[in-house]
Amino acid sequence: MTDLFIIFIIVFIIFLTCKFFINIYNRLVMLKFNTDKAFANIDILLMQRADEIPNLVKVLDKHTTYEKDTLQRLTELRTRCKSVSNQDEKVATHNEMTSLLGGVMAVYENYPELKSNASFLALQQRVSALEDNISDRREFFNESINLYNIGTKQFPDLLLAKLMSFELKSLLIVTDEEKRYDGI
Amino acid sequence: MNKRSKSTQLFYIVVTVLFLAFFLFSSISLIFLVFLGAFVISLFELTTKRQFLKLQTILPTSKIRSLAMGLVEISGSTSCNELIQPRIGDKKCIAYHYQVHKKVKDADGHYSSQLIEEDKKIAPFSIKDKTGSVDVSTKHLDFLWLPEERSYSIGNLYYTQTILMPDVQVLLIGKAVNLNGRIMIEKDSINGVFNLTRVSSINKWTYYKPLLNSLYLFLGLICLVTIFIVMADVNVNDNLVIYHF
């Protein structure tokens, strides 16, 4: 067998290996940038929702029976999500905010005086409209994150993902309100 | 000239040069080099089809109501206000791709197919999902795996037609742009992709692709082993076959 042929085989195998890893690298980079784009797409709506918190606190403050701690925590979360830059921390903050806001917005059922409060009703409508938009974009964001997480954990992609320090990312949670089925 | 025709030209040039070199120098290594060259070029050949199939595994599907501008993948059913008349048949459709091939015989008596007529028309249409509807640009739109409709042949002429009908579940990858407040999907110039296919076709592809990859790997290994065996020096001593690698 000629030496040239052996060289060809070796070059060919090296080439295939390089091409294989370049493909994985490009795929991982694209998946990562997709998650960033998806987050940028939803972040603006999440911030708009967070900006409604001071109004909510103002309205609910008058009804002293409602837990002050929850409102205090919501205010803290709003400040925190404006200050943090890490995407995962932001997602965690928004997830906690989503749970608390769901509880606060549902509280009006127990307070007849809130049902007739125009400010609260207007606020509830604004938040509800925002939640509808967030719901669409959250689905898109969660799908991007899911594709990315699978991409970084499947073999052999995870070898390169580890080298590139690609960590798992958190999903945005779905509220209990959205999960609830009220029947027909 | 698009990327595909450039790389295809390059492919033909490399193969021609290597074959000429083989006949000039009569080296077996050059045969291998020809196949290697063809394989390498095919790996780098950036067809829109390949790019589309790659991107559809990476991109998440967007809801039409909340489309972000830029490269997007959407899925929904097709709808069109003014359907067009296809070249074959009378069932109106959104788009058709009509081709006439002629079977020609060369000097050596080998038959080959030659494209002698082509016509592609797309009516303005939109794609709608549960959340809304978006218009699709008809410029540079490529179809993938659309069904053939009423193809036939007369003598040595073959008439084929693929069509896109309304209310078909499709998957589209393109660039979302805002044109005077109206969202539209058009060709993404960076990735060079603007393809549409039926959801059923892409589901089949996703299902069978891993099997196809295994087949390629298996065939590749068989080829490699065969090349080693064929090219190795063989000695036969007392009913014993000895390979020298």
Side-chain angles (χ1 to χ4, degrees), chain B residues 40-73:
Chain B
V40 169
I41 288 167
S42 74
L43 278 180
F44 280 103
E45 197 184 19
L46 258 180
T47 61
T48 59
K49 180 186 165 188
R50 179 175 284 182
Q51 188 75 334
F52 171 77
L53 292 171
K54 195 175 88 179
L55 285 173
Q56 65 89 23
T57 62
I58 299 172
L59 290 174
T61 310
S62 301
K63 294 273 179 230
I64 289 174
R65 185 171 56 187
S66 57
L67 271 181
M69 297 303 105
L71 188 67
V72 289
E73 175 189 290

Side-chain angles (χ1 to χ4, degrees), chain A residues 1-2 4-5 8-9 12 15-16 19 27 30-31 34 37 41 132 136-137 139-140 143-144 147, chain B residues 29 32-33 36 39-40 43-44 55 57-58 60-63 65-66 68-69 71 224 227 231 233:
Chain A
M1 198 179 299
T2 62
L4 192 63
F5 179 71
F8 280 154
I9 295 281
F12 186 58
F15 168 79
L16 276 189
K19 174 79 182 146
R27 184 182 144 80
M30 190 148 189
L31 284 170
N34 276 346
K37 183 187 168 190
N41 196 21
D132 279 349
D136 285 342
R137 295 190 187 187
E139 202 175 317
F140 178 72
E143 201 186 331
S144 311
L147 286 169
Chain B
S29 300
F32 180 72
L33 200 61
L36 186 72
F39 182 75
V40 169
L43 278 180
F44 280 103
L55 285 173
T57 62
I58 299 172
T61 310
S62 301
K63 294 273 179 230
R65 185 171 56 187
S66 57
M69 297 303 105
L71 188 67
L224 207 61
I227 290 169
M231 296 200 69
D233 297 326

Side-chain angles (χ1 to χ4, degrees), chain A:
Chain A
M1 198 179 299
T2 62
D3 291 344
L4 192 63
F5 179 71
I6 293 167
I7 292 169
F8 280 154
I9 295 281
I10 293 167
V11 169
F12 186 58
I13 290 168
I14 291 171
F15 168 79
L16 276 189
T17 315
C18 290
K19 174 79 182 146
F20 180 69
F21 280 104
I22 288 169
N23 280 351
I24 293 177
Y25 175 81
N26 287 342
R27 184 182 144 80
L28 287 173
V29 167
M30 190 148 189
L31 284 170
K32 188 175 183 294
F33 278 92
N34 276 346
T35 62
D36 293 345
K37 183 187 168 190
F39 186 70
N41 196 21
I42 196 173
D43 193 33
I44 188 157
L45 291 176
L46 292 171
M47 292 311 290
Q48 280 175 14
R49 187 183 66 175
D51 286 341
E52 294 291 353
I53 287 172
N55 299 328
L56 187 74
V57 172
K58 214 182 285 175
V59 173
L60 289 181
D61 231 12
K62 292 168 192 165
H63 302 270
T64 47
T65 44
Y66 193 72
E67 279 184 67
K68 292 274 181 194
D69 292 350
T70 312
L71 298 178
Q72 178 67 33
R73 181 68 188 144
L74 273 171
T75 311
E76 281 169 18
L77 288 172
R78 178 180 174 260
T79 317
R80 199 173 140 203
C81 73
K82 280 186 180 291
S83 60
V84 293
S85 56
N86 180 286
Q87 186 185 310
D88 251 17
E89 279 180 48
K90 270 194 173 186
V91 168
T93 313
H94 283 300
N95 277 343
E96 194 181 341
M97 198 186 287
T98 303
S99 316
L100 290 176
L101 263 178
V104 171
M105 297 313 277
V107 82
Y108 85 104
E109 287 170 9
N110 305 326
Y111 294 85
E113 64 270 31
L114 270 178
K115 280 185 184 176
S116 55
N117 186 320
S119 306
F120 182 75
L121 291 174
L123 185 71
Q124 197 185 32
Q125 272 179 355
R126 281 204 300 276
V127 173
S128 179
L130 278 170
E131 290 286 357
D132 279 349
N133 287 328
I134 287 172
S135 158
D136 285 342
R137 295 190 187 187
R138 183 177 48 220
E139 202 175 317
F140 178 72
F141 172 76
N142 283 349
E143 201 186 331
S144 311
I145 294 288
N146 195 35
L147 286 169
Y148 167 83
N149 284 346
I150 291 170
T152 52
K153 284 294 161 195
Q154 68 187 4
F155 187 81
D157 303 24
L158 74 93
L159 302 173
L160 212 59
K162 280 216 165 182
L163 272 176
M164 292 157 73
S165 309
F166 279 11
E167 300 291 336
L168 282 180
K169 291 189 176 198
S170 312
L171 297 166
L172 278 166
I173 58 161
V174 180
T175 59
D176 290 339
E177 290 259 303
E178 287 167 290
K179 284 183 205 160
R180 196 169 62 209
Y181 174 63
D182 292 330
I184 300 164

Side-chain angles (χ1 to χ4, degrees), chain B residues 203-215:
Chain B
N203 286 345
K204 267 186 208 161
W205 167 258
T206 313
Y207 182 78
Y208 288 111
K209 184 69 173 72
L211 294 173
L212 206 62
N213 284 346
S214 303
L215 179 74

Side-chain angles (χ1 to χ4, degrees), chain B residues 99-150:
Chain B
Q99 286 181 315
V100 183
H101 286 92
K102 191 180 181 182
K103 199 173 168 185
V104 286
K105 196 176 178 181
D106 61 18
D108 301 327
H110 298 125
Y111 285 99
S112 62
S113 179
Q114 195 178 32
L115 180 68
I116 57 167
E117 194 186 338
E118 191 174 23
D119 183 21
K120 187 178 171 185
K121 269 198 183 127
I122 309 167
F125 72 104
S126 55
I127 294 177
K128 57 179 178 186
D129 68 5
K130 278 184 247 168
T131 65
S133 154
V134 66
D135 291 334
V136 180
S137 166
T138 56
K139 216 174 162 187
H140 307 302
L141 177 62
D142 271 342
F143 298 113
L144 193 62
W145 302 321
L146 285 188
E148 250 184 51
E149 181 87 2
R150 301 172 75 110

